Amino acid sequence: MSAALIPPSRVWSTRTFDSVDPPIRALVIDDDEDFAQAMATVLELEGFEVRTADCVECFEITRRWMPSVVLLDMEMPIMNGFRVAQELRKLAHCMRVPVIAHTSLSEDDVLVQGIPAGIDAYCRKGNSPQVLVSLLRQLAPGRALND
């Protein structure tokens, strides 16, 4: 399958997710601090409440602040995104939080390990921010932010 035919985002999970009240709380986990901050800025402009963390800090953050949805980079040093997802799923308070693989890897490269790791959806880095915002809102259902 050519890269042009791979959808920019897709929900893999058949689970239903708990409704959330605005603002949707998004945790951006990425080892590239500049990229994470840029994503946070975009999401904040869309009405999200955002925290950023690397693959180690994310566990401490979730003890103090409960995300509605997690945006997770797959290629990180120390602990890759698959391992982070597995560890998040072991935490009782994070078991039902939707996790999106946000990566430059192709969907095929993430899918096989991603589903067993507890990842619910895929979004390719470099797509329009609106694709990502739409996916985040789909996985954190509830009242629309602009209502």
Side-chain angles (χ1 to χ4, degrees):
M1 180 181 286
S2 75
L5 298 177
I6 296 173
S9 68
R10 184 188 319 229
V11 175
W12 297 334
S13 182
T14 57
R15 302 187 299 141
T16 56
F17 300 101
D18 297 333
S19 295
V20 297
D21 291 324
I24 296 170
R25 294 173 312 278
L27 175 58
V28 177
I29 303 172
D30 200 302
D31 62 308
D32 182 337
E33 189 176 334
D34 292 336
F35 179 82
Q37 286 301 321
M39 287 306 313
T41 299
V42 167
L43 295 176
E44 287 168 349
L45 289 172
E46 291 288 335
F48 290 79
E49 182 180 327
V50 184
R51 300 288 187 277
T52 63
D54 65 23
C55 59
V56 176
E57 298 166 326
C58 67
F59 301 106
E60 179 60 32
I61 286 176
T62 62
R63 284 196 256 301
R64 297 179 270 116
W65 183 81
M66 187 63 193
S68 309
V69 64
V70 172
L71 190 61
L72 178 61
D73 183 26
M74 295 287 98
E75 298 178 292
M76 296 183 286
I78 303 171
M79 187 181 308
N80 69 27
F82 302 109
R83 177 79 189 281
V84 171
Q86 289 171 333
E87 295 302 315
L88 284 172
R89 292 295 181 229
K90 291 178 183 177
L91 303 173
H93 61 283
C94 291
M95 289 177 143
R96 296 208 25 90
V97 174
V99 175
I100 300 169
H102 191 231
T103 180
S104 58
L105 296 172
S106 75
E107 182 178 17
D108 290 342
D109 289 341
V110 179
L111 184 63
V112 173
Q113 286 183 283
I115 291 176
I119 296 172
D120 299 293
Y122 167 87
C123 187
R124 187 154 187 143
K125 281 185 177 179
N127 284 313
S128 158
Q130 284 311 118
V131 170
L132 179 59
V133 167
S134 176
L135 183 62
L136 287 164
R137 287 184 175 148
Q138 180 182 354
L139 290 176
R143 288 173 280 289
L145 292 174
N146 297 324
D147 284 354

